[in-house]
């Protein structure tokens, strides 16, 4: 089974954490994006430092620092484009401004963000930073990713007039960054769901309601902004809500609470199912839940057999 981009079910901007404008979300079949211009003949230039990611209990975090300089005779507006160092690395730009997805290179996204501070005066420079969060298991050895870049895009243009390549180093849990190994991100999800049969009890108005624990495990570091779950339920049975709930849900789908996963993370929450008054007592049929990854490219799963969980629903 393919884990595919969920469309029309949630606002991806909220999941991304970039203040991304959802109208510019890329189609799942987005082609690879060509390398940016590196000419320094334009009036705007950019420099960047290397990015060092520090290990935490939720993966790695770090900040890329870049400086834009206006070498031209007049003030200029611009935006920033960057290729993130890992898929779903949640770049957060300072000064803050709206961002949009522009495409994907493998599982990494290309993002464009406003400059956040209006025109840049002639001869002036402005500092920017992009904070990244890579949700992968911290290792006791350093890692490296090459080939990421950040570019400056003059107002009205589509491509950077100049870009700066930067290297990303993952500091080891022992504090080292020397002699790094290549970081290779998973390109297939590893999602498993587990649920048991559920009983719907009769309420005073004759309708039925039942509380059903659902356990979700995300096994690796394949990129995802979050997981949505599609519910296939017997006639008359619907999803009322989930608890806890931090995103909208509907009668046949819901979003796993808690946002992005780290590798190996397991979450259990309750799905509240209902059925209308007049529903007869006894077995109502079999239901199932199937996850869909909220991401800009389509990813398959390493083990489709444990993606979907089935269960029996009984009315009391």
């Amino acid at each position: 089974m393919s884990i595919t981009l969920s469309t029309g079910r949630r606002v991806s901007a909220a999941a991304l954490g970039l203040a991304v404008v959802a109208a510019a979300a890329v189609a799942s079949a987005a082609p690879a994006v060509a390398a940016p211009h590196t000419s320094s003949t334009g009036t705007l230039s950019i420099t960047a430092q290397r990015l060092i990611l520090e290990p935490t209990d939720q993966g790695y975090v770090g900040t890329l620092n870049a400086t834009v300089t206006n070498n031209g005779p007049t003030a200029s507006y611009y935006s920033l484009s960057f290729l993130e160092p890992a898929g779903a690395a949640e770049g957060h730009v300072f000064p803050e401004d709206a961002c949009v997805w522009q495409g994907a290179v493998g599982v990494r996204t290309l993002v464009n963000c406003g400059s956040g501070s209006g025109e840049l005066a002639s001869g002036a420079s402005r500092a920017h930073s992009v904070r990244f969060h890579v949700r992968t298991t911290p290792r006791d050895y350093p890692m490296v990713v090459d080939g990421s870049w950040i570019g400056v895009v003059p107002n009205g243009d589509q491509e950077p007039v100049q870009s700066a390549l930067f290297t990303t180093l993952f500091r080891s849990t022992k504090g080292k960054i020397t002699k790094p190994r290549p970081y290779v991100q998973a390109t297939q999800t590893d999602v498993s769901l587990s649920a048991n049969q559920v009983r719907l009890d009769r309420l005073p108005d004759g309708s039925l309601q039942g509380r059903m624990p659902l356990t979700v495990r995300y096994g690796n570091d394949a990129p995802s902004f979050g997981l949505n779950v599609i519910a296939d339920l017997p006639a008359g049975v619907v999803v009322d809500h989930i608890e806890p709930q931090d995103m909208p849900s509907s009668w046949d789908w819901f979003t796993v609470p808690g946002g992005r996963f780290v590798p190996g993370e397991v979450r259990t929450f309750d799905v509240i199912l209902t059925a209308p008054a007049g529903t007869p007592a006894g077995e109502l049929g079999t239901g199932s839940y199937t996850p869909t990854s909220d991401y800009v490219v389509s990813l398959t799963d390493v083990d489709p057999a444990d993606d979907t969980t089935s269960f029996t629903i009984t009315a009391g």
Side-chain angles (χ1 to χ4, degrees):
M1 183 207 71
S2 294
I3 303 290
T4 57
L5 173 65
S6 173
T7 57
R9 294 193 179 275
R10 64 178 292 181
V11 180
S12 294
L16 181 57
L18 280 168
V20 170
V21 178
V26 225
S28 61
V33 178
H37 300 296
T38 57
S39 169
S40 60
T41 57
T43 59
L44 293 169
S45 63
I46 188 168
T47 59
Q49 300 176 4
R50 67 180 179 179
L51 170 63
I52 297 180
L53 299 174
E54 304 290 344
T56 73
D57 60 356
Q58 292 288 305
Y60 292 83
V61 297
T63 299
L64 173 70
N65 294 309
T67 301
V68 174
T69 300
N70 183 359
N71 305 297
T74 60
S76 179
Y77 288 100
Y78 63 90
S79 62
L80 299 171
S81 286
F82 61 87
L83 176 63
E84 61 180 354
E90 191 181 325
H92 193 87
V93 177
F94 298 94
E96 295 189 67
D97 206 330
C99 300
V100 296
W101 290 307
Q102 291 189 307
V105 179
V107 297
R108 296 190 288 170
T109 58
L110 174 65
V111 180
N112 179 267
C113 300
S115 63
S117 300
E119 286 186 311
L120 182 62
S122 173
S125 296
R126 180 179 295 152
H128 294 273
S129 63
V130 187
R131 186 165 180 81
F132 292 103
H133 186 170
V134 180
R135 288 170 171 79
T136 191
T137 303
R139 275 77 152 182
D140 61 3
Y141 55 85
M143 297 183 292
V144 64
V145 173
D146 290 318
S148 295
W149 52 265
I150 185 168
V152 57
V153 183
N155 189 43
D157 286 1
Q158 299 297 315
E159 299 290 337
V161 67
Q162 189 187 33
S163 64
L165 293 170
F166 64 89
T167 295
T168 301
L169 289 169
F170 295 69
R171 191 184 300 278
S172 76
T173 55
K174 297 179 179 179
K176 306 295 185 181
I177 59 173
T178 57
K179 298 182 179 179
R181 306 179 193 178
Y183 168 60
V184 180
Q185 187 173 21
T187 58
Q188 289 183 291
T189 56
D190 183 13
V191 182
S192 60
L193 272 63
S194 177
N196 296 317
Q197 63 183 16
V198 59
R199 173 188 170 92
L200 306 185
D201 295 318
R202 195 79 54 179
L203 299 178
D205 64 358
S207 64
L208 296 162
Q209 184 179 89
R211 180 178 296 270
M212 181 181 188
L214 176 63
T215 298
V216 179
R217 181 179 186 276
Y218 201 90
N220 61 12
D221 66 356
S224 176
F225 298 145
L227 291 178
N228 298 318
V229 176
I230 306 302
D232 184 6
L233 302 170
V237 180
V238 299
V239 175
D240 185 78
H241 65 283
I242 66 170
E243 295 179 0
Q245 181 157 349
D246 56 11
M247 292 292 288
S249 62
S250 185
W251 64 273
D252 66 344
W253 68 270
F254 51 88
T255 299
V256 176
R260 304 184 191 192
F261 284 79
V262 294
E265 184 177 356
V266 177
R267 298 177 192 170
T268 298
F269 55 97
D270 291 332
V271 183
I272 311 303
L273 301 177
T274 61
T279 299
E283 187 172 311
L284 301 180
T286 300
S288 66
Y289 296 137
T290 302
T292 62
S293 178
D294 186 7
Y295 196 53
V296 297
V297 295
S298 178
L299 303 178
T300 58
D301 195 79
V302 297
D303 185 10
D306 64 5
D307 289 352
T308 298
T309 185
S310 299
F311 44 88
T312 301
I313 302 177
T314 303

